[in-house]
Amino acid sequence: MKNFQWFKQISNNGKIKRRLSLGEYNRAVSWSKYLVSSGAAIRGEGEEEWSADMSQLLIGNKFASGRHSRIYRGIYKHRDVAIKLISQPEEDEDLAAMLDGQFTSEVALLFRLRHPNIITFIAACKKPPVFCIITEYLAGGSLRKYLHHQEPNSVPLNLVLKLALDIARGMQYLHSQGVLHRDLKSENLLLDEYMCVKVADFGISCLESQCGSAKGFTGTYRWMAPEMIKEKHHTKKVDVYSFGIVLWELLTAMIPFDDMTPEQAAFAVSHKNARPPLPPACPMAFRHLINRCWSSNVDRRPHFDEIVSLLEFYAESLEEDPDFFSIYKPSSDLTISRCLPTCIAGGSSFFKSLEQ
């Protein structure tokens, strides 16, 4: 029973909240037995060893789970952390090998990423058949969870803008490092106590130079670009498509294609060019940006550099004029991109002249 201390139920101050039932304890130990001793050393390419000191890890409540993983809240070296445990199925060698590769890739990517809008990596442990990734813990939970508790079409536009900018800046940095996320969705966007968004879950991310085709790819259909659904070659623009869906989520607080199964949504997107319906009250500024982001024409989708510049302009203009979103009417992509510097300098008064 010496492992029981690992699975104390922790509250915010790290004290014991309640003791586990025998069933809970047995299930916990079935995962924890692989983590009691220090894991095999994992090295990033050309980097120092960053294997976790498992004797410093306290695992608490499970708060999320995936197809092959569980995520727990915990404490590592006196710091609140999130602990992702990935279990390799012993009966499926191909799946075990795939999960091994995903783990190695995720840790290698997280190890090199440093940005305020990217989840902070802390340590990891690799001890088959269970792997462990330790990151910072974000008290606000997922963006999907936050939106679930809002009324449809109820998130204030200034908050939509703030959250969208956080996501776009994180993705801008990610792409600048040559990394494709490939599973950008509200469930993988986490909030801290100040409503700052951080991009998380890099399990199926890859370097652009190594991504290749989408054959055999397992993403999330409701947020997936049509070229990925069709298993075609893909670029960074698949993340831009997903960002368009996330922006739609921010504006509506709803789940995309919630009246369809994931497979039905995938067919509608890839074969019928379907997109979630934009609400009638959606400001033209966001409507125009979303339509570009989720365009079926990959070349029409903007890069995140442009998206960040545009959203920053919106933020400055809204601060100067609370009526900005009701008067802004973009005429064309070319006009927007050419006028941005002077528009920012001139403020939203420029757009008042465009009001029809």
Side-chain angles (χ1 to χ4, degrees), residues 154-352:
S154 66
V155 181
L157 290 179
N158 61 335
L159 181 56
V160 170
L161 190 53
K162 187 261 184 225
L163 298 174
L165 251 175
D166 283 350
I167 301 164
R169 285 170 176 154
M171 294 305 302
Q172 178 188 37
Y173 168 76
L174 204 62
H175 284 189
S176 75
Q177 301 300 301
V179 177
L180 278 66
H181 189 282
R182 303 203 298 177
D183 199 19
L184 183 62
K185 58 182 180 180
S186 53
E187 193 67 39
N188 291 338
L189 297 166
L190 305 181
L191 297 166
D192 68 12
E193 61 269 36
Y194 305 107
M195 291 295 287
C196 173
V197 186
K198 300 198 178 190
V199 182
D201 200 335
F202 295 85
I204 52 179
S205 301
C206 67
L207 293 173
E208 187 173 25
S209 59
Q210 300 173 358
C211 280
S213 74
K215 191 167 183 61
F217 178 79
T218 55
T220 313
Y221 280 143
R222 298 180 194 277
W223 288 263
M224 194 185 295
E227 63 269 27
M228 293 198 70
I229 295 172
K230 295 177 180 178
E231 298 189 338
K232 294 183 177 180
H233 174 77
H234 56 277
T235 67
K236 294 175 182 177
K237 295 296 185 73
V238 297
D239 289 337
V240 176
Y241 175 94
S242 299
F243 176 79
I245 300 290
V246 170
L247 189 48
W248 177 90
E249 284 185 273
L250 289 172
L251 286 163
T252 64
M254 298 169 66
I255 296 176
F257 305 108
D258 61 346
D259 59 340
M260 302 181 187
T261 66
E263 292 76 17
Q264 288 172 335
F267 180 83
V269 166
S270 60
H271 291 84
K272 297 184 177 180
N273 202 30
R275 301 292 184 268
L278 286 163
C282 177
M284 188 63 69
F286 285 125
R287 183 183 299 272
H288 184 70
L289 177 57
I290 290 172
N291 282 328
R292 290 185 63 203
C293 286
W294 67 25
S295 173
S296 57
N297 183 343
V298 174
D299 295 331
R300 284 204 68 232
R301 299 177 202 162
H303 289 281
F304 276 105
D305 288 342
E306 182 183 350
I307 293 172
V308 169
S309 294
L310 195 58
L311 292 175
E312 286 176 344
F313 165 65
Y314 290 172
E316 289 188 29
S317 299
L318 185 63
E319 185 176 352
E320 182 180 326
D321 185 351
D323 295 325
F324 167 73
F325 280 121
S326 65
I327 61 178
Y328 173 61
K329 296 179 175 63
S331 56
S332 70
D333 299 346
L334 185 61
T335 302
I336 292 172
S337 59
R338 283 184 173 176
C339 82
L340 268 176
T342 55
C343 291
I344 292 173
S348 61
S349 58
F350 173 85
F351 287 100
K352 290 181 179 179

Side-chain angles (χ1 to χ4, degrees), residues 57-108:
L57 181 66
L58 177 70
I59 303 180
N61 292 323
K62 182 181 74 174
F63 63 88
S65 59
R67 205 172 305 169
H68 307 291
S69 64
R70 300 177 181 183
I71 304 177
Y72 295 83
R73 184 176 178 183
I75 296 174
Y76 182 68
K77 296 183 177 180
H78 309 290
R79 177 179 180 178
D80 278 352
V81 296
I83 304 142
K84 179 179 180 180
L85 299 182
I86 304 151
S87 177
Q88 286 184 303
E90 297 177 2
E91 70 283 358
D92 189 334
E93 291 184 2
D94 290 339
L95 179 57
M98 183 194 76
L99 292 173
D100 188 308
Q102 285 186 359
F103 171 84
T104 302
S105 174
E106 181 172 8
V107 171

